[in-house]
Amino acid sequence: MPPDVTATPPSGALKGDHPPQGYVFIVTYGRSGSTMLQHLLNSIDGIVVRGENNNTLWHLFQAWHALDSAGPINDLRTRGAETDSTRPWFGAELIDPDAVGHDIAALFHRKVLNLPNGTRMGGFKEIRVHSDPELFPVYLNFIARFFPGSRFVFNTRAHDDVARSAWWGVCDPDFVRATLAEAEALFRAYAAAHPATSRMLHYDDYIRDRDALAPLFALVGDRPSEAQIQQVFARQLEHGRNPAFRT
């Protein structure tokens, strides 16, 4: 069952720093059709899904992860130890990774997403998330932990079509296929581990049959009108002609 999008955000959320119905994040690789999905979700009243931000949240996550995974910090906090200026980790027991995570999420919401008044569900799409397979699930768990009501949409496309598209076309096709296969393995593993908040979509499926979008609409608890869907699919997107602007 999809999450209840009308539910109150978890008690750990900071009131006023998150949209009332949570977030939806499109996770994919370049030239998968993700900009179309972004446009489609933005056609639903009250949903604002921003485009790429050059993986900014990933870099903020790494700062949090450096604190959260540091053994000396965790040990000092767990033991309730107090350090003095003769100790190499002086003051580390005062670091609260959980509080840092909440502050990072609130800052990102305000200063990067910049969601307009009246937004009930926010988010973004990103193609640069799968570069570190080991940290991939840790990163998405970070998002789910600090962005209340998070949902993930993993978008894929036929590898041969991706390999011929835009900047992928100058790469070795075998390299492209291996890169996409590795990314999709990460997507499937996370979606399988978090079925209530994740959906796998395939571009070729929903291009042929709009009913293939039903899992997406169930995940966010709303859908555009049929006229809006037709308008989104009829629009020719031009950004793919310039490799500087990625789908």
Side-chain angles (χ1 to χ4, degrees), residues 87-99:
R87 299 287 300 277
W89 289 79
F90 174 45
E93 71 276 12
L94 303 175
I95 299 172
D96 183 351
D98 191 67

Side-chain angles (χ1 to χ4, degrees), residues 8 30 55 87 97:
T8 302
N55 228 10
R87 299 287 300 277

Side-chain angles (χ1 to χ4, degrees), residues 221-237:
D222 205 345
R223 60 175 293 139
S225 68
E226 290 304 320
Q228 288 173 317
I229 294 174
Q230 292 301 324
Q231 184 179 30
V232 169
F233 277 82
R235 181 170 182 177
Q236 182 70 37
L237 299 178

Side-chain angles (χ1 to χ4, degrees), residues 12 18 28 39 45 58 94 166 238:
H18 299 285
T28 185
H39 183 36
D45 186 49
W58 166 264
L94 303 175
E238 299 293 333

Side-chain angles (χ1 to χ4, degrees), residues 95-110:
I95 299 172
D96 183 351
D98 191 67
V100 171
H102 282 295
D103 285 350
I104 285 174
L107 174 67
F108 186 86
H109 171 266
R110 292 195 306 270

Side-chain angles (χ1 to χ4, degrees), residues 9 12-23 99 101-111 113-115 119 122 146-148:
L14 302 177
K15 288 186 177 181
D17 280 326
H18 299 285
Q21 294 181 5
Y23 296 87
H102 282 295
D103 285 350
I104 285 174
L107 174 67
F108 186 86
H109 171 266
R110 292 195 306 270
K111 300 300 184 181
L113 289 183
N114 287 298
L115 301 175
T119 299
F146 294 110
F147 291 80

Side-chain angles (χ1 to χ4, degrees), residues 45-68:
D45 186 49
I47 296 181
V48 179
V49 177
R50 299 299 194 191
E52 298 160 32
N53 51 67
N54 203 28
N55 228 10
T56 295
L57 186 57
W58 166 264
H59 298 292
L60 295 173
F61 151 75
Q62 288 183 302
W64 170 84
H65 184 63
L67 296 175
D68 188 64

